Amino acid sequence: ALWGNFKVGYLGNELAPVDRALYGANLHYQSDTTTSFGEQRLQLDGFGAEPGTVPSREEFRATGGSVYFLRRQDILTGSERVRIELRDPDSGLVSGVVQLRPGLDYDFDYFQGRVLLSEPLSATGGGSSLLVRSGGLAGDEAWLVVQYEYTPGFEEMSTIASGGQGHYWCGDFAKIGLTANNDTEGDGDSNLYGADLTLRQSAESWLKLQTGKRDGMVSSWLRSDDGGFGFVGSDGLVPVDTNADALRADLSVGLGDLFSGMGGRVTLYAQSLDAGYSTAS
């Protein structure tokens, strides 16, 4: 149990991620027993906070430079999460991620809202040690993703954030997970719920089913193609009363599980999002 500054990273359900830096109460419980693969058999998390800030998530198309300007200034110190994503230019699917470390990979100016990388970030996936792999595919696009907390004005904000997640492994081959998050800003509410089921035969062969539900205000998104001089997207929680669902299925088949001595793996996915469905990512 913790009362203080903490970062929430509920990322087990791709349709219902909760990723914030807050001040308040944070709880974590995990069982002593583990599966044969090393995961905690039972894990529970929960948090509650009155942050007085709102989250922002901004994506920057790599420009080949080192400096990127954020949309906001006077950012909450220590609240940033910075990473590089390699994305397929056609589908937009993320093929690789590297989390950047403050002081080593970047410097962050909280007052002016600026990120200075220790190395230039090339527009495609190759050539920089900051990237996931030094020999990335020439067609993979590099993106800098920055998340942080900020205070939108001088007036004291009435915001409450709460949420939790939990999962349980039934044996070694079936996992059930639940995620919930609620944000209240003034008279508006934003709710996000998720559930997931994983069926696993081996480390290479598994099926994962995920569902999510969003109601209330929708999350914002901001994107810049010129290093932060111009943005497209929406700021803050958008006051649109929406009720949307999402479904996703992922299948991985290890060829060695089907044919002895054969290497390789085949992965498939299907996803459906209702209009208005939005998350922090």
Side-chain angles (χ1 to χ4, degrees):
L2 166 71
W3 182 275
N5 297 304
F6 60 91
K7 292 184 178 180
V8 177
Y10 301 163
L11 305 177
N13 188 326
E14 296 174 67
L15 299 178
V18 183
D19 187 9
R20 294 193 66 180
L22 300 167
Y23 177 85
N26 190 31
L27 303 174
H28 173 77
Y29 171 81
Q30 64 185 40
S31 63
D32 293 331
T33 59
T34 62
T35 67
S36 61
F37 292 85
E39 303 106 341
Q40 252 68 41
R41 190 167 299 280
L42 173 64
Q43 180 174 312
L44 300 172
D45 294 276
F47 72 90
E50 190 174 1
T53 59
V54 294
S56 181
R57 181 182 191 272
E58 297 166 15
E59 300 181 350
F60 299 88
R61 181 74 168 91
T63 61
S66 302
V67 182
Y68 295 84
F69 297 93
L70 303 175
R71 178 69 176 85
R72 300 291 183 177
Q73 298 177 344
D74 289 335
I75 297 166
L76 181 64
T77 302
S79 66
E80 84 280 358
R81 285 88 72 213
V82 185
R83 67 180 181 271
I84 293 172
E85 294 183 354
L86 288 180
R87 301 178 182 176
D88 183 277
D90 298 317
S91 65
L93 290 177
V94 177
S95 59
V97 177
V98 60
Q99 303 290 341
L100 302 188
R101 300 161 295 176
L104 295 177
D105 298 324
Y106 69 89
D107 288 319
F108 203 96
D109 190 324
Y110 298 97
F111 180 72
Q112 296 183 343
R114 183 180 65 216
V115 179
L116 175 61
L117 302 179
S118 59
E119 296 183 26
L121 181 59
S122 60
T124 56
S128 173
S129 61
L130 284 174
L131 292 176
V132 177
R133 50 180 182 264
S134 59
L137 297 176
D140 286 353
E141 295 180 347
W143 289 80
L144 181 70
V145 180
V146 183
Q147 294 174 258
Y148 59 86
E149 301 279 330
Y150 71 95
T151 303
F154 293 104
E155 297 181 0
E156 182 178 354
M157 294 186 59
S158 176
T159 60
I160 298 176
S162 61
Q165 73 167 358
H167 76 247
Y168 180 73
W169 280 98
C170 307
D172 289 337
F173 306 106
K175 182 183 79 167
I176 301 172
L178 298 172
T179 306
N181 177 225
N182 171 263
D183 291 303
T184 301
E185 181 180 341
D187 296 329
D189 280 348
S190 174
N191 301 300
L192 181 65
Y193 308 102
D196 58 271
L197 172 66
T198 302
L199 302 175
R200 177 173 60 189
Q201 179 183 353
S202 68
E204 296 290 321
S205 299
W206 44 265
L207 171 66
K208 185 174 183 179
L209 305 175
Q210 302 174 86
T211 182
K213 181 178 181 60
R214 159 72 80 179
D215 63 61
M217 296 184 294
V218 301
S219 298
S220 66
W221 62 273
L222 288 169
R223 164 183 165 169
S224 175
D225 293 321
D226 55 10
F229 292 99
F231 287 90
V232 295
S234 56
D235 281 344
L237 288 174
V238 182
V240 176
D241 189 10
T242 187
N243 192 324
D245 298 322
L247 297 171
R248 181 181 174 96
D250 293 85
L251 175 66
S252 173
V253 179
L255 300 181
D257 294 331
L258 298 179
F259 309 101
S260 178
M262 179 176 288
R265 184 163 63 112
V266 176
T267 58
L268 305 170
Y269 85 97
Q271 179 171 285
S272 173
L273 306 177
D274 287 348
Y277 190 85
S278 67
T279 69
S281 62

